[in-house]
């Protein structure tokens, strides 16, 4: 499975984590290509930011309250969990990284496997059985 | 298997995933099934409606045998046999 993740909105990050978990339960290999605004969340120190719920800002407090009530893991916990279960690779688009001040792998949180160019994403999407764009 | 047969099963592993929402029970099931032997019976307790559909399908995909589901008060028990 290949996921192109462009949104840095917390609900989209959580949604991506849920999909990755489902794929992990099926032993599917997953590659996540982190593009544009999504890269901001992967910069070291940004992983706990909750300032972004872009599409539905008026639902933000309800979203977080219900997440807590239902004991839903954070987006990062979902990503880490998926990595424990299956082969998950996370690549940051080099342009997206630069947009938020990340130029090297060390600038990003530990779950990131490396930086990539858009060509790598296109090739992976072309080869994948399932390609999801978020 | 019918409900009576399922309730009479001797379970080797019980996973209580009632505290988690989808996909928590599925991942807990996956984790737990790695700890039991082939032929062992496992039950998963869940209150998540999505899980009721997901775990039987997951069993089949993973080559395990889905035995059935028993409805309890506010939750259900899903039974499977590891292959």
């Amino acid at each position: 499975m290949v996921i192109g993740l462009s949104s840095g909105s917390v609900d989209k990050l959580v949604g991506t984590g849920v999909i990755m978990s489902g794929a992990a339960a099926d032993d599917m290999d997953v590659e996540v290509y982190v593009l544009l605004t999504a890269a901001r969340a992967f910069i070291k120190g940004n992983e706990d930011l909750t300032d972004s719920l872009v599409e539905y800002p008026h639902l933000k407090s309800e979203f977080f309250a219900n997440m807590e009530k239902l004991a839903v893991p954070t987006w990062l916990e979902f990503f880490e969990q998926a990595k424990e279960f299956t082969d998950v690779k996370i690549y940051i688009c080099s342009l997206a990284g630069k947009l938020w001040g990340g130029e090297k792998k060390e600038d990003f949180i530990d779950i990131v496997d490396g930086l990539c160019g858009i060509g790598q994403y296109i090739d992976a999407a072309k080869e994948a059985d399932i390609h999801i764009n978020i | 298997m019918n409900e009576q047969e399922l309730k009479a099963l001797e379970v080797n592993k019980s996973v209580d995933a009632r505290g988690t929402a989808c996909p928590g029970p599925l991942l807990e099931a996956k984790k737990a099934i790695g700890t039991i032997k082939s032929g062992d019976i496992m039950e998963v307790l869940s209150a998540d409606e999505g899980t009721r559909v997901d775990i039987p399908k997951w069993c089949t995909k993973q080559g395990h045998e889905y035995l059935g589901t028993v409805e309890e008060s506010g939750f259900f028990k899903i039974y499977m046999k590891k292959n």
Side-chain angles (χ1 to χ4, degrees):
Chain A
M1 175 186 287
V2 165
I3 301 174
L5 175 62
S6 300
S7 173
S9 190
V10 181
D11 57 331
K12 298 286 180 71
L13 292 169
V14 172
T16 304
V18 172
I19 292 168
M20 287 165 69
S21 300
D26 278 352
D27 298 320
M28 240 181 238
D29 292 347
V30 180
E31 289 185 7
V32 182
Y33 290 87
V34 181
L35 314 168
L36 298 169
T37 315
R40 177 176 177 261
F42 291 80
I43 296 273
K44 269 184 187 152
N46 282 0
E47 58 269 33
D48 295 324
L49 288 182
T50 56
D51 60 348
S52 174
L53 205 66
V54 179
E55 277 184 301
Y56 311 103
H58 60 293
L59 299 177
K60 190 173 169 178
S61 57
E62 188 180 341
F63 175 79
F64 284 113
N66 286 335
M67 288 274 290
E68 195 177 334
K69 191 169 125 192
L70 294 169
V72 179
T74 65
W75 73 267
L76 182 57
E77 287 166 343
F78 271 124
F79 276 59
E80 288 170 338
Q81 200 173 44
K83 277 203 154 211
E84 280 171 29
F85 281 102
T86 193
D87 187 12
V88 175
K89 294 278 188 277
I90 298 167
Y91 301 108
I92 309 286
C93 161
S94 56
L95 168 63
K98 277 181 193 166
L99 278 175
W100 306 106
E103 299 207 14
K104 294 176 186 165
K105 183 178 179 292
E106 299 71 48
D107 297 328
F108 298 92
I109 54 178
D110 293 342
I111 58 167
V112 170
D113 292 282
L115 281 86
C116 70
I118 198 65
Q120 186 181 335
Y121 170 47
I122 300 295
D123 286 346
K126 202 160 58 181
E127 297 295 321
D129 293 330
I130 300 172
H131 173 219
I132 299 172
N133 203 292
I134 298 170
Chain B
M1 294 177 93
N2 64 37
E3 189 171 330
Q4 219 167 10
E5 289 169 326
L6 289 169
K7 283 183 171 174
L9 281 172
E10 198 171 313
V11 171
N12 303 98
K13 180 93 182 174
S14 181
V15 179
D16 189 348
R18 284 176 289 182
T20 64
C22 173
L26 183 59
L27 291 176
E28 290 197 27
K30 182 176 173 60
K31 204 184 288 181
I33 210 152
T35 67
I36 60 174
K37 300 190 302 284
S38 176
D40 280 357
I41 307 287
M42 185 168 92
E43 65 174 7
V44 179
L45 282 58
S46 175
D48 179 79
E49 280 298 323
T51 298
R52 188 201 284 265
V53 179
D54 276 359
I55 288 190
K57 283 190 175 174
W58 170 78
C59 276
T60 309
K61 282 188 282 187
Q62 294 288 311
H64 308 304
E65 189 181 348
Y66 166 65
L67 302 175
T69 300
V70 171
E71 187 85 39
E72 299 284 354
S73 177
F75 68 102
F76 42 86
K77 292 178 175 176
I78 305 169
Y79 293 88
M80 66 202 72
K81 186 179 188 179
K82 181 173 178 173
N83 282 338

